[in-house]
Amino acid sequence: MSTKTYAGIPQKYAALETSKIVLIPVPYDGTSTWQKGADKGPEAFLNASENMELYDIETRTEVYKQGVFLADAITENSSPEAMVSEVHKATKDYIKRNKFVTIFGGEHSISIGTIRAFNECFDNLTVLHIDAHADLRKDFHGSACNHACAVYEASQTTNLVQVGIRSMDVAETRVMDEEKVFFAHDMAKDEYWMDKVIEALGENVFITFDLDAFDPSILPSTGTPEPGGLFWYETLDFLKQVFDERNVVGFDIVELCPNEEERASDFVAAKLYYKMLTYKFAGTEEGDEYDNHFNETKKGVSKFNTEEDEY
């Protein structure tokens, strides 16, 4: 990728040593089963970010001044399992460096690695899964590291809360905890759905945001668009409430499938990422110290992980 800094920000705000935020691009599209192109998502997102105004009108802040380090892209694609392993290792490394770690995919299988890393570093993790699809298959097309399996592991090892779901296989009903699933058709009729989601979250929250959670009318460029999705301001209202009321420890955004004839989706993804950073650091001064409160002694939390730490 040619981008030297996130959003073209000055180098003084982009150095690893002084940045509070790390952004890891993962241009991977090895298991998607319909429209290909999610591997081009990170580059399209970064290009759009360079053309985005960096003053946030709502909060009257410039969050990039907290420092955003653009890490090297993870390009491992020899197998889904190898990719997940590399994402897991890189994510955990930056968490241990006391950074607010964010990841931009790529297809949703990358989240298996990100969630595993956060679960190994933070106590009593809740995974807030915002998506059109349940992604709860134990395995799919011969791999447990398929995009259709993105949060199966999280369902077994974390407090998984799912929002916006409107497409799934019947087999996934046997895995999901329906008390912690907020289906899109119910949300459309329930003015209190945001409050109910917040009540289901624990203190430490990792957000995995699949862009097909949005209605295709505002973000059509994704691999598996589904009608009946979220709209912009309700999404921002919800996210702001989550960041205000819980400790969001990190997030990933996945499934941008760029289309040269439709660049608005790239910009929506770029703006969403920046708004989420803004909500995380609203009220934080540029020179304030950041502590991500990861637990250095937490071990053995993921029955799926058999690797030794290499840090």
Side-chain angles (χ1 to χ4, degrees):
M1 292 184 186
S2 58
T3 304
K4 294 181 180 178
T5 66
Y6 162 71
I9 62 177
Q11 190 62 46
K12 65 179 286 190
Y13 298 115
L16 175 60
E17 295 75 18
T18 55
S19 293
K20 298 172 185 172
I21 301 152
V22 167
L23 166 59
I24 307 173
V26 188
Y28 179 79
D29 192 22
T31 75
S32 59
T33 48
W34 188 27
Q35 298 185 90
K36 290 286 188 179
D39 56 324
K40 306 296 192 300
E43 185 173 9
F45 156 76
L46 289 168
N47 288 340
S49 298
E50 287 190 353
N51 294 283
M52 180 181 64
E53 300 287 3
L54 297 178
Y55 173 72
D56 182 71
I57 298 172
E58 178 188 3
T59 60
R60 301 185 180 185
T61 62
E62 296 173 293
V63 72
Y64 76 89
K65 291 183 177 179
Q66 304 292 334
V68 184
F69 174 70
L70 179 60
D72 291 337
I74 296 174
T75 57
E76 172 60 61
N77 63 3
S78 60
S79 71
E81 292 75 17
M83 177 278 297
V84 165
S85 178
E86 286 301 305
V87 171
H88 165 254
K89 287 191 286 186
T91 302
K92 192 168 183 179
D93 181 30
Y94 286 117
I95 293 171
K96 288 182 145 188
R97 296 187 191 197
N98 192 36
K99 304 300 182 181
F100 183 75
V101 183
T102 63
I103 303 92
F104 197 97
E107 58 160 79
H108 211 162
S109 59
I110 72 157
S111 300
I112 299 169
T114 65
I115 293 168
R116 188 178 296 172
F118 278 91
N119 193 34
E120 290 171 356
C121 292
F122 292 94
D123 294 321
N124 303 315
L125 187 71
T126 290
V127 172
L128 174 57
H129 172 219
I130 305 172
D131 198 333
H133 305 90
D135 289 348
L136 283 171
R137 287 175 167 91
K138 187 173 182 179
D139 57 73
F140 194 61
H141 289 186
S143 175
C145 294
N146 188 283
H147 72 103
C149 314
V151 294
Y152 173 78
E153 182 174 317
S155 75
Q156 305 298 298
T157 62
T158 75
N159 175 37
L160 178 66
V161 179
Q162 301 183 276
V163 172
I165 308 303
R166 53 195 189 275
S167 179
M168 61 186 292
D169 185 78
V170 65
E172 294 172 282
T173 63
R174 295 189 286 271
V175 177
M176 67 170 35
D177 180 352
E178 291 201 23
E179 292 186 359
K180 294 181 180 179
V181 179
F182 295 82
F183 293 105
H185 68 277
D186 291 326
M187 292 162 57
K189 299 177 289 186
D190 185 356
E191 62 179 308
Y192 300 109
W193 70 264
M194 296 184 193
D195 295 331
K196 292 175 181 177
V197 174
I198 298 293
E199 290 176 5
L201 304 177
E203 180 58 28
N204 291 327
V205 177
F206 175 81
I207 301 173
T208 180
F209 196 115
D210 187 325
L211 291 166
D212 64 32
F214 282 123
D215 192 81
S217 62
I218 66 166
L219 199 148
S221 294
T222 186
T224 47
E226 291 278 351
L230 293 165
F231 292 100
W232 182 248
Y233 282 110
E234 71 174 327
T235 301
L236 293 189
D237 287 346
F238 172 56
L239 289 171
K240 187 174 188 299
Q241 189 172 344
V242 173
F243 278 93
D244 283 347
E245 299 188 28
R246 296 294 187 270
N247 177 37
V248 177
V249 297
F251 64 82
D252 66 32
I253 297 175
V254 298
E255 298 284 358
L256 176 64
C257 188
N259 176 354
E260 290 185 2
E261 304 301 318
E262 191 279 303
R263 291 302 192 191
S265 293
D266 305 351
F267 202 83
V268 171
K271 196 79 171 182
L272 175 70
Y273 177 83
Y274 200 67
K275 291 296 288 188
M276 291 174 74
L277 290 186
T278 297
Y279 292 150
K280 173 62 181 179
F281 288 94
T284 303
E285 296 297 327
E286 184 178 331
D288 290 351
E289 292 292 321
Y290 176 67
D291 185 355
N292 69 11
H293 299 290
F294 81 92
N295 185 347
E296 292 186 81
T297 63
K298 191 171 187 224
K299 295 185 182 298
V301 297
S302 175
K303 65 183 179 182
F304 295 86
N305 182 32
T306 59
E307 299 174 28
E308 295 293 329
D309 286 349
E310 299 176 0
Y311 312 103

